[in-house]
Structures are given as C-alpha cells and as structure tokens.
Amino acid sequence: TDLLQYLPTDERRVLEPVIDSPGLTQIEIRDRSEFSKSKVSQTLSELEQRGLIYKEKQGRTFRVYPGEELTGES
C-alpha cells in the first residue's frame, strides 16, 4: 500500500509483517521486526489509535490485523 512509504521506518517494520500475514501475534511481530517487546507494544498502540491496525484478544495475547485505513473497508 502507498501509505507505508509515508510512515517512519520503525512503524513500517512493525506494520509490514501484519500486512503480509494478518493475524500475527505480538510475539511473532516482535520476532520479525527485531524490536523489543515494549517497542512493538508501543508502536502497535500508536498504529491502532490511527486506525492502521486492530487487535483481537486471543487467550493471553493479541492477534493483529490491518485496520480499515489499510484495507479500504469501512
């Protein structure tokens, strides 16, 4: 998506795996982005506030999906 080119590098590193593989857990995103747990958590919170991702609770973790801003759905 064109939007990615406008995002900071750290946000792209967290967001790209979610776009490639919707439904990743935060742990899987952490492994792919090579950021700390707190960095991934903070970045996901910021992306979620802007509608770029949404989280679904599953057990003790969250699965992360691209948000409406990325999918073009409303």
Side-chain angles (χ1 to χ4, degrees), residues 5-18:
Q5 66 188 345
Y6 301 109
L7 295 176
T9 304
D10 56 347
E11 291 188 355
R12 274 205 311 266
R13 272 172 60 185
V14 169
L15 196 52
E16 282 174 344
V18 175

Side-chain angles (χ1 to χ4, degrees), residues 8-11 13-14 17 21 28 37 46 51-52 58 73-74:
T9 304
D10 56 347
E11 291 188 355
R13 272 172 60 185
V14 169
S21 308
E28 290 167 327
K37 183 178 180 179
E46 292 166 5
L52 297 176
Q58 185 179 61
E73 296 171 10
S74 55

